[in-house]
Amino acid sequence: MSRTTSTERSAMAGEIDVVIVGAGFGGMYMLHRLRGLGLSAIVFDVASGVGGTWYWNRYPGARCDVESMQYSYAFDETLQQEWQWSELFAGQPEILRYANYVADRFDLRRDMRFETRVTDAVFDPATRRWAVRTDRGDALSARHCVMATGCLSAARMPDFPGRDSFKGQTYHTGYWPHEGVDFTGKRVAVIGTGSSAIQSIPVIAQQAEHVTVFQRTPNFSIPSRNGPMSESYARSWKDSYPAKRAEARMTRNGILANPLDKSAIETPEAERLTIYEQRWASGGTTFMAAFNDLIVNKASNDTAAEFVRNKIREMVKDPATAELLAPTNHPIGTKRICVDTDYYLTYNQPNVSLVDVRHTPIEAITPDGVMVGGKEYKVDAIVFATGFDAMTGALTRINIVGRDGATLVQEWEAGPRTYLGLMCAGFPNLFMITGPGSPSVLSNMMVSIEQHVDWITDCLASLRDRQMDCIEPTRAAQDAWVEHVNEVAHTTLYPSAASWYMGANIEGKPRVFMPYIGGVGAYRQKCDAVAAAGYEGFVLSGPARVAAAAE
Ligand code: FAD
Ligand code: N01
């Protein structure tokens, strides 16, 4: 996880319109749009290149689980026509190539500074500007900050006793070595069974002498049915991209999934099973769109959960292992559903074993392996597939100090509070892309990223037109939004799971359902209505401090 600085450059100083933190898909598109407004902007990223998630997560088997024809930028028709995806679900190397292609095509790099961590952003109420500092000595005064820091970019390493004593190699899926890892002949421990583990275990097991998986919570996983992208399938999208993208933007998750508007529990069993079989056969996350009440009605959810459990029992030959892998402690979909290639079948291989660490947690990492219940599992390498301090971690790791001297960490002590997931009261001119309180991680992130970037761009253009330079949400608007986000979450089954959506994977993190589950379509309409009403719920001000929130 150490950062190497391969490029020399002198520290930056002076005034700029916008500092963007993060050069993933969010930061890249933000820069492109701000240039279109004629604003000066600079992007900082710790990484040595663009791509964010797809720069860091180079573990074996890493790929997206939203179809590539949908998990891609929609803002430029020529771009979406000319780029060719090779698989239905692109792998990490291809997505990273795409990010680099976009960076080149739109000449983004000249305003990007890599291998640079933004450490501080402090608002000065006198100048209404942010003082931004980095770990390479940059000190910029920015009118606006856009935090494109990612929801799943602050990797989390559990603090197992003895972790540093391990004599072999350790890896975190979110910081995978660029040169790759050769596990040939190695005994490998994988800790965790979330999406990253579920993608990587089958690939690691093809190479390693033995893989021991340490599972605390089994997850539901649906086969991806990935395959080569056919010319005709790509064409079917490209021929009507604008219309399809427009339709996706108004869906619940930003994905065209053919949702069935029917209750699972009210559908006769035989018909229900046929529908599940069809969804299972076509694969992917759209399994959850099989019925309209899977995420709100426990009885309906149980039918889907049991269907998947039965599939696991069919696939995994050893009944005890199958039962361990079959999730029973949370409704299906309330932890991020996983998508795999041969995950369950991998447990039929003689070189793969599963250790349950729910009831007997990992006690320690020893010099030679992993200790559970007094038994030492000797390994040569440990893969930590232990996830992220999701949604808030990348933000709270920066010293962000607002108008009244309070830090973001203090403001969010009891859980993140935002207005629309875009801004926080007390932190003027600081925007977040896919922040907590927006649909974000519950959606096709490309759709949500583009929506936020477009909204922020329009907002900055509007401020300029009104000769304003400062925008901040009111506490009242923020409180009402937070209440709404909670209220909607509690109409669903989501809060019943100890998920990272709830902050449950981080000790001491407040248990609050962080994303907005009202759906990307409804959310977009709300954001647009707020803007159309003169930025309702925000206070706009200018050099003369003219308040013009609602004209
Ligand atoms: P990121 O891509 O996370 O980029 C944020 C960048 O900010 C990082 O490069 C980071 O280094 C930088 N940064 C953070 N803090 C600082 C700082 N203080 N100073 C400087 N730089 C900083 N979403 C989907 O919709 N579909 C998928 O199939 C999907 N698959 C995923 C698979 C994996 C393995 C992971 C981890 C996530 C996946 N996601 C998926 C979510 C994914 O994060 C988003 O789709 C998207 O890539 C996020 O883009 P972003 O620009 O918002 O953030
Ligand atoms: O992380 P996770 P991830 N002892 O938090 C376990 C996206 N993504 O990197 O569930 C033992 O899901 C933990 O156990 P538990 C996607 O949004 C997408 O896999 O807390 N185990 C869990 O099993 C995803 O949801 C793709 O009980 C410990 C695992 O580590 C998100 O990123 C691919 C432990 C962490 O799972 C995060 O996924 C990859 C401990 N002390 C990622 N601490 C796609 O396919 C943690 N664990 C698109």
Side-chain angles (χ1 to χ4, degrees):
M1 284 186 221
S2 66
R3 179 173 64 83
T4 53
T5 304
S6 59
T7 50
E8 290 306 317
R9 65 170 179 84
S10 39
M12 298 179 70
E15 292 200 345
I16 195 159
D17 292 324
V18 188
V19 162
I20 301 167
V21 190
F25 286 128
M28 291 168 67
Y29 181 44
M30 191 73 247
L31 174 62
H32 177 65
R33 289 299 317 267
L34 293 179
R35 280 185 184 165
L37 280 188
L39 295 178
S40 58
I42 193 88
V43 179
F44 290 111
D45 202 304
V46 192
S48 62
V50 296
T53 284
W54 307 103
Y55 171 93
W56 295 108
N57 290 264
R58 300 173 187 236
Y59 59 82
R63 64 176 65 251
C64 64
D65 67 3
V66 171
E67 280 194 17
S68 306
M69 297 310 294
Q70 306 199 52
Y71 187 78
S72 45
Y73 282 126
F75 70 83
D76 188 279
E77 177 61 9
T78 313
L79 170 67
Q80 63 183 2
Q81 289 297 333
E82 70 194 9
W83 182 262
Q84 312 276 353
W85 293 107
S86 69
E87 291 177 276
L88 282 173
F89 297 93
Q92 172 273 329
E94 188 170 17
I95 305 174
L96 186 58
R97 276 201 299 281
Y98 172 73
N100 277 288
Y101 178 81
V102 174
D104 291 338
R105 198 182 185 290
F106 295 97
D107 189 20
L108 299 178
R109 278 181 243 274
R110 71 183 147 88
D111 291 320
M112 292 180 160
R113 300 293 176 273
F114 295 111
E115 299 173 346
T116 307
R117 179 178 294 282
V118 169
T119 52
D120 302 83
V122 180
F123 188 74
D124 177 357
T127 58
R128 298 186 313 285
R129 299 185 73 91
W130 285 91
V132 179
R133 294 187 176 276
T134 76
D135 64 353
R136 290 184 70 170
D138 305 296
L140 287 172
S141 166
R143 177 64 68 202
H144 303 276
C145 279
V146 178
M147 294 295 165
T149 42
C151 294
L152 296 160
S153 58
R156 176 185 164 266
M157 245 340 192
D159 208 6
F160 295 116
R163 202 181 71 199
D164 295 337
S165 72
F166 183 62
K167 289 191 297 203
Q169 293 80 41
T170 58
Y171 308 97
H172 190 289
T173 48
Y175 286 117
W176 204 259
H178 289 198
E179 61 280 13
V181 180
D182 184 1
F183 287 117
T184 307
K186 298 262 164 70
R187 297 161 302 171
V188 183
V190 178
I191 300 179
T193 47
S195 297
S196 301
I198 281 177
Q199 287 186 329
S200 58
I201 287 164
V203 187
I204 296 173
Q206 284 169 17
Q207 205 177 46
E209 182 189 305
H210 196 92
V211 178
T212 309
V213 178
F214 295 86
Q215 171 185 273
R216 190 165 66 183
T217 310
N219 262 302
F220 292 96
S221 187
I222 312 294
S224 76
R225 313 289 179 206
N226 188 28
M229 179 73 68
S230 72
E231 177 57 31
S232 59
Y233 188 69
R235 183 62 28 231
S236 74
W237 276 89
K238 290 187 178 183
D239 281 351
S240 51
Y241 241 147
K244 282 193 157 73
R245 298 286 204 184
E247 193 185 339
R249 285 184 196 115
M250 295 316 293
T251 60
R252 189 169 184 77
N253 301 110
I255 304 172
L256 293 187
N258 297 319
L260 194 60
D261 197 11
K262 209 168 170 169
S263 157
I265 202 68
E266 288 166 17
T267 301
E269 191 181 359
E271 185 188 340
R272 192 167 62 219
L273 285 176
T274 306
I275 290 168
Y276 286 141
E277 287 291 356
Q278 284 161 351
R279 291 274 170 178
W280 184 263
S282 56
T285 56
T286 59
F287 181 82
M288 290 303 292
F291 293 99
N292 64 9
D293 59 351
L294 294 183
I295 220 61
V296 292
N297 181 323
K298 180 68 168 49
S300 286
N301 187 288
D302 285 344
T303 66
E306 188 58 13
F307 176 85
V308 176
R309 282 192 289 265
N310 283 334
K311 287 289 179 195
I312 298 169
R313 290 170 187 132
E314 277 170 28
M315 286 183 282
V316 179
K317 286 186 190 144
D318 173 48
T321 305
E323 283 316 312
L324 267 183
L325 287 167
T328 51
N329 80 341
H330 63 279
I332 184 169
T334 55
K335 284 171 84 104
R336 172 66 154 72
I337 197 142
C338 302
V339 171
D340 71 279
T341 300
D342 295 339
Y343 174 62
Y344 294 113
L345 294 176
T346 299
Y347 289 92
N348 295 335
Q349 291 180 204
N351 68 332
V352 179
S353 45
L354 182 65
V355 178
D356 174 22
V357 294
R358 166 155 297 275
H359 304 292
T360 317
I362 294 171
E363 284 158 40
I365 305 294
T366 67
D368 295 315
V370 182
M371 184 73 83
V372 180
K375 178 173 175 186
E376 187 182 45
Y377 295 84
K378 288 190 189 297
V379 293
D380 305 302
I382 303 177
V383 173
F384 291 90
T386 44
F388 302 89
D389 184 353
M391 303 207 73
T392 56
L395 290 161
T396 55
R397 287 177 190 188
I398 303 171
N399 176 40
I400 301 177
V401 184
R403 185 166 36 78
D404 301 323
T407 65
L408 192 71
V409 172
Q410 288 165 336
E411 289 283 325
W412 286 5
E413 213 171 0
R417 300 186 73 76
T418 70
Y419 181 38
L420 299 170
L422 278 161
M423 297 192 85
C424 301
F427 298 82
N429 288 356
L430 183 112
F431 297 92
M432 289 165 290
I433 294 179
T434 66
S438 74
S440 169
V441 290
L442 297 175
S443 68
N444 172 358
M445 290 285 271
M446 292 301 259
V447 170
S448 290
I449 284 170
E450 286 193 334
Q451 187 246 334
H452 267 190
V453 170
D454 290 341
W455 192 95
I456 294 166
T457 307
D458 291 348
C459 173
L460 295 188
S462 180
L463 281 178
R464 188 165 64 183
D465 292 349
R466 295 159 194 246
Q467 297 181 310
M468 303 279 178
D469 60 13
C470 200
I471 179 166
E472 180 188 345
T474 65
R475 292 257 166 213
Q478 177 168 290
D479 290 349
W481 183 253
V482 170
E483 198 182 317
H484 174 63
V485 170
N486 280 327
E487 204 174 87
V488 181
H490 282 91
T491 63
T492 73
L493 302 170
Y494 274 98
S496 63
S499 67
W500 59 255
Y501 296 135
M502 293 289 294
N505 64 330
I506 305 290
E507 221 168 284
K509 194 166 171 174
R511 297 281 175 112
V512 176
F513 190 75
M514 294 184 285
Y516 175 56
I517 201 184
V520 299
Y523 171 79
R524 174 183 294 268
Q525 285 171 331
K526 169 71 183 170
C527 291
D528 290 350
V530 163
Y535 293 91
E536 192 177 24
F538 290 95
V539 174
L540 282 62
S541 56
R545 294 177 179 275
V546 190
E551 289 172 353

